């Protein structure tokens, strides 16, 4: 994470774009997160509706990294028996070569204070409370996710309430593969 952050801050991070199947990225992410959630008896639900374009041009590793960083935090900061939802939506746009996706990750975990929401995407920051003291981390995951989302031309937003949980929404425009070439 420290090396990733250093590369990002120095402007040396580039995207390795290739044609990928969005369903494969979601499945691989599920395969990583589901066992973590299962260890804490959490319910982990993956939903996707009305996805027209599954073949996209993206940096598979970096897109996965964004999703895994956010989902791992959802698992870490949601208690035993909690609920985490990973929802994928395609937002209609007028350009037929671009598909815009919303990745919505919600949990009913410990949430964040209003004050900390202003800091959540800064490197090496963590909210210090009695609830977070037992959770390990570098405080880089969200900073890396935000920088990668920005590099991809997207946005990342968070809504959180202390004691209620958090909702992260990542919106990224991605080029649609030329399926006629297949």
């Amino acid at each position: 994470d420290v090396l990733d952050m250093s590369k990002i801050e120095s402007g040396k991070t580039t995207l390795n774009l290739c044609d990928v199947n969005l369903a494969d990225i979601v499945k691989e992410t599920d395969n990583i997160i589901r066992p973590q959630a299962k260890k804490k008896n959490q319910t982990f639900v993956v939903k996707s509706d009305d996805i027209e374009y599954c073949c996209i041009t993206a940096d598979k590793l970096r897109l996965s990294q964004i999703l895994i960083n956010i989902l791992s935090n959802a698992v870490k900061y949601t208690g035993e028996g909690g609920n985490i939802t990973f929802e994928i939506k395609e937002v209609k746009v007028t350009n037929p070569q671009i598909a815009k996706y919303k990745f919505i990750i919600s949990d009913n975990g410990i949430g964040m204070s209003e004050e900390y929401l202003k800091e959540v995407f800064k490197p090496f920051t963590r909210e210090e409370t009695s609830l977070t003291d037992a959770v390990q981390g570098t405080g880089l995951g969200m900073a890396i996710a935000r920088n990668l989302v920005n590099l991809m031309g997207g946005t990342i937003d968070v809504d959180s309430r202390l004691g209620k949980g958090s909702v992260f929404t990542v919106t990224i425009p991605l080029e649609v593969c030329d399926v006629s070439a297949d």
Side-chain angles (χ1 to χ4, degrees):
D1 281 351
V2 173
L3 289 174
D4 274 346
M5 200 64 217
S6 178
K7 273 185 175 176
I8 289 167
E9 287 180 338
S10 68
K12 293 183 180 173
T13 301
T14 57
L15 298 176
N16 183 18
L17 300 175
C18 60
D19 292 350
V20 295
N21 187 319
L22 183 60
D24 291 342
I25 293 171
V26 171
K27 184 178 180 187
E28 290 167 14
T29 302
D30 184 299
N31 288 340
I32 291 167
I33 298 301
R34 190 164 300 279
Q36 295 175 18
K38 191 174 183 178
K39 281 183 187 173
K40 293 179 76 176
N41 294 315
Q42 295 168 337
T43 302
F44 178 53
V45 177
V46 179
K47 297 193 252 183
S48 65
D49 294 321
D50 299 324
I51 303 294
E52 185 177 351
Y53 301 105
C54 267
C55 185
I56 53 173
T57 301
D59 185 326
K60 182 179 179 182
L61 178 69
R62 296 305 190 177
L63 182 54
S64 295
Q65 185 177 13
I66 293 164
L67 300 173
I68 290 167
N69 280 358
I70 299 169
L71 283 162
S72 292
N73 275 359
V75 171
K76 281 197 278 189
Y77 293 104
T78 298
E80 190 84 17
N83 300 303
I84 299 161
T85 302
F86 175 30
E87 190 172 1
I88 304 96
K89 293 181 176 185
E90 187 175 327
V91 181
K92 300 298 177 207
V93 294
T94 54
N95 185 340
Q97 283 130 5
I98 301 292
K100 188 183 274 190
Y101 298 92
K102 275 191 181 202
F103 302 94
I104 304 162
I105 297 160
S106 57
D107 64 62
N108 65 346
I110 64 173
M112 293 174 268
S113 67
E114 213 170 300
E115 297 79 38
Y116 182 69
L117 283 175
K118 298 170 191 159
E119 309 290 319
V120 69
F121 295 112
K122 291 182 180 175
F124 302 108
T125 59
R126 291 181 39 150
E127 187 162 32
E128 300 295 330
T129 69
S130 59
L131 295 172
T132 61
D133 286 347
V135 179
Q136 293 183 338
T138 60
L140 285 174
M142 291 299 99
I144 290 170
R146 176 179 237 167
N147 281 293
L148 291 174
V149 167
N150 288 343
L151 191 61
M152 294 179 182
T155 60
I156 183 169
D157 299 297
V158 60
D159 182 31
S160 188
R161 300 286 179 267
L162 211 48
K164 303 284 184 196
S166 302
V167 179
F168 283 84
T169 304
V170 174
T171 306
I172 302 177
L174 297 164
E175 194 174 316
V176 175
C177 296
D178 184 5
V179 289
S180 63
D182 292 339

